[in-house]
Amino acid sequence: MRQHKLALCKEHYLEWIPEQTARFIKKYWMFGPDEKVLVAVSGGKDSLSLWDILQRLGYQADGLYIGLGIDEGIGYSAESQRLTVKFAEEHGLKLHIVDVQKEYGHSIPVLSNMSLRGHGRPCSVCGLAKRHEMNRIAYELGYDVLATGHNLDDEAAVLFGNTISWSKEYLLRQKPVLQGHDGLARKAKPLCRFYEKEMTAYAMLRGIEYIYEECPFSVGSTSIYYKELLNQLENERPGAKLNFYLKFLEAREDGLFASDPEKDPPPLFLCPTCGQPTMYEGQCSFCRMMEKANQK
Ligand code: SF4
Ligand code: ZN
């Protein structure tokens, strides 16, 4: 892992991932050891790995699989459901299954063909249906928190998309955990700091059988394009993706969106050397630079 300047053997890697996950869960106040967690599982490597990690850490974590009725590709929905059920059975875990078509009369591709939203692409309809059903089940069945398997590549791609359009509303909501209120379940992303390839390695080393194929509707999506761009950046500058995401979280914590420095200027200090105003206590950056230059 060039970004962490760390190399681990299989045994230690399989310990490191849950240890780090437990650290992130605590750091971002996602959930406590006695809370009931509902894990949204799609049959992919991230969500199945998340479920695996949470149960290894001793959390009370049940699964939720949402059947989207996507028959395209290899029979995407049927295969992902089969692998999810298999995982649950092998690990003795409780799985809730909701089928959008049975519940509401239409599968995702059918709803998409009705041109209700998303300009003919099913992802908008699908995302909306998934968010709705995840929240409904978490709420109806009394779970404290809903956990999803979003990894760092997912989060960085969303952040990148929202940054190039400066979508303040979405940027504000992009957090490792969103507190629940007024019928909205708390949502947590315990894997948000792991690279996608780290999760692939975890799933493979744990022998988790997951669906390799991406959803056939994801081909040509903007998020895949953003992921490719960020991977190019990462190849040149290891750690760039993690930095992009973590620095954003820090900046938001520091009040990036809270105040407008023009209207609400921060207090300034006076540089003891030149007397000019500075943002921080002590010498201003210019005087520090000149002092360094003069020491050379
Ligand atoms: Fe749904 Fe689009 Fe994801 Fe496929 S790629 S599962 S249609 S959101
Ligand atoms: Zn509604």
Side-chain angles (χ1 to χ4, degrees):
M1 293 173 281
R2 289 199 298 167
Q3 69 282 5
H4 300 307
K5 297 192 176 66
L6 183 66
L8 297 172
C9 65
K10 175 180 173 180
E11 188 192 337
H12 288 118
Y13 187 74
L14 290 178
E15 283 170 15
W16 182 79
I17 291 276
E19 275 166 17
Q20 293 296 309
T21 311
R23 188 165 79 80
F24 304 150
I25 291 172
K26 268 200 195 137
K27 180 179 169 65
Y28 298 112
W29 302 83
M30 292 186 185
F31 41 86
D34 300 324
E35 290 193 292
K36 274 180 71 187
V37 186
L38 182 65
V39 186
V41 269
S42 65
K45 63 182 184 318
D46 302 301
S47 55
L48 287 177
S49 294
L50 173 61
W51 205 8
D52 182 72
I53 294 165
L54 293 182
Q55 60 112 14
R56 285 182 67 202
L57 288 170
Y59 285 101
Q60 238 193 97
D62 298 341
L64 167 64
Y65 176 84
I66 302 176
L68 306 168
I70 299 176
D71 298 329
E72 286 75 359
I74 45 153
Y76 178 74
S77 286
E79 180 61 3
S80 56
Q81 181 166 340
R82 183 185 73 78
L83 292 168
T84 307
V85 170
K86 184 170 180 268
F87 181 88
E89 284 173 359
E90 282 173 4
H91 293 79
L93 296 168
K94 185 168 172 182
L95 174 67
H96 306 282
I97 298 180
V98 174
D99 192 287
V100 174
Q101 183 162 6
K102 280 190 200 139
E103 203 75 30
Y104 299 99
H106 309 289
S107 67
I108 295 299
V110 169
L111 282 169
S112 169
N113 284 336
M114 293 179 191
S115 305
L116 306 167
R117 51 188 284 141
H119 309 289
R121 283 193 77 93
C123 297
S124 172
V125 171
C126 182
L128 181 66
K130 284 193 286 196
R131 286 193 296 277
H132 186 273
E133 289 305 283
M134 289 190 291
N135 193 64
R136 180 175 73 80
I137 301 294
Y139 202 72
E140 283 180 7
L141 301 182
Y143 284 93
D144 296 298
V145 57
L146 174 78
T148 55
H150 294 93
N151 60 38
L152 176 70
D153 292 47
D154 299 322
E155 291 301 291
V158 170
L159 177 59
F160 185 68
N162 288 335
T163 304
I164 56 175
S165 59
W166 291 117
S167 309
K168 188 174 168 187
E169 211 184 298
Y170 289 113
L171 286 168
L172 269 170
R173 289 204 335 241
Q174 194 176 1
K175 291 177 173 179
V177 62
L178 278 176
Q179 293 307 328
H181 60 90
D182 303 325
L184 269 186
R186 188 189 332 153
K187 296 191 187 79
K189 299 172 185 168
L191 307 183
C192 65
R193 289 177 56 162
F194 291 118
Y195 282 69
E196 179 164 357
K197 61 181 179 192
E198 291 171 349
M199 292 325 299
T200 309
Y202 179 84
M204 287 170 68
L205 293 173
R206 284 283 292 164
I208 296 173
E209 206 185 330
Y210 62 88
I211 185 155
Y212 291 106
E213 286 72 16
E214 297 285 346
C215 169
F217 295 125
S218 68
V219 177
S221 70
T222 316
S223 67
I224 291 190
Y225 174 60
Y226 290 159
K227 280 182 184 178
E228 285 166 2
L229 287 179
L230 290 166
N231 281 341
Q232 280 178 29
L233 180 66
E234 181 75 25
N235 283 340
E236 299 274 330
R237 293 167 193 266
K241 232 186 299 192
L242 186 62
N243 214 30
F244 177 50
Y245 180 60
L246 292 185
K247 292 288 173 195
F248 162 72
L249 294 183
E250 263 178 41
R252 213 213 11 237
E253 283 303 299
D254 290 347
L256 176 67
F257 300 109
S259 60
D260 180 346
E262 288 291 311
K263 291 186 204 136
D264 182 16
L268 294 177
F269 301 92
L270 293 183
C271 170
T273 309
C274 69
Q276 292 225 38
T278 134
M279 298 270 281
Y280 306 101
E281 219 171 334
Q283 257 184 337
C284 73
S285 310
F286 177 78
C287 289
R288 259 185 293 142
M289 175 186 79
M290 292 319 283
E291 197 173 278
K292 268 192 204 153
N294 292 334
Q295 283 164 1
K296 296 235 170 210

